[in-house]
Amino acid sequence: MADRFITIKEVALKNNCPECYNNEGLQLTFKQKFMESNFYKSITQETKHILHCNTCNTTIYPISWTDDIERVVKYHQRAFAPKKPSFKLKKKAWLLISVTLMVLAAGIVLFVLKDKL
Ligand SMILES: [Zn+2]
């Protein structure tokens, strides 16, 4: 089973980067966790956000955020609308369920007929 975070939204921030002080490189990325196996696909409620500076190519962790950055991130967090959680069975799973049901049905028919023969 593979689970991965998929980018849902990217926002360019005008704040100064705590590392290189450039104000054009900060990018806030919102990601949401998806899960996929052979039989199902699911969107989970789990989200995370990452602040990255494209100028100095550094991930800016909350520990080095300034008050301004924190405020802006909070603002975008409130505005962020994650995808609705969902769970979908794949064709393969439906096929397996149908085959199981058919085998069961056949078994019941045979069981009922057995007494009548
Ligand atoms: Zn930077």
Side-chain angles (χ1 to χ4, degrees):
M1 190 176 69
D3 54 334
R4 55 215 156 107
F5 280 87
I6 294 184
T7 300
I8 305 292
K9 191 183 177 186
E10 285 175 331
V11 201
L13 303 187
K14 290 283 159 228
N15 301 65
N16 287 81
C17 169
E19 296 295 329
C20 67
Y21 304 105
N22 189 295
N23 68 349
E24 280 166 12
L26 284 186
Q27 188 179 44
L28 181 64
T29 306
F30 288 94
K31 289 168 180 270
Q32 190 165 0
K33 192 172 167 184
F34 283 67
M35 288 203 294
E36 183 163 6
S37 78
N38 284 335
F39 295 112
Y40 71 89
K41 245 185 184 168
S42 160
I43 303 175
T44 73
Q45 267 179 314
E46 202 178 328
T47 59
K48 66 176 179 184
H49 52 280
I50 296 156
L51 189 62
H52 184 85
C53 174
N54 292 324
T55 307
C56 60
N57 206 19
T58 311
T59 299
I60 316 295
Y61 293 100
I63 193 135
S64 50
W65 291 3
T66 62
D67 288 349
D68 273 347
I69 292 178
E70 211 163 297
R71 206 165 27 234
V72 173
V73 169
K74 274 210 180 107
Y75 167 79
H76 285 293
Q77 243 180 311
R78 270 197 298 270
F80 172 58
K83 286 188 183 295
K84 253 173 100 178
S86 74
F87 183 88
K88 269 192 195 128
L89 284 175
K90 287 188 177 181
K91 259 192 196 141
K92 225 190 236 176
W94 286 117
L95 200 69
L96 195 72
I97 291 170
S98 332
V99 169
T100 310
L101 284 178
M102 277 188 311
V103 169
L104 268 176
I108 291 168
V109 168
L110 281 178
F111 183 76
V112 170
L113 285 180
K114 189 185 68 184
D115 290 341
K116 300 200 170 142
L117 289 175

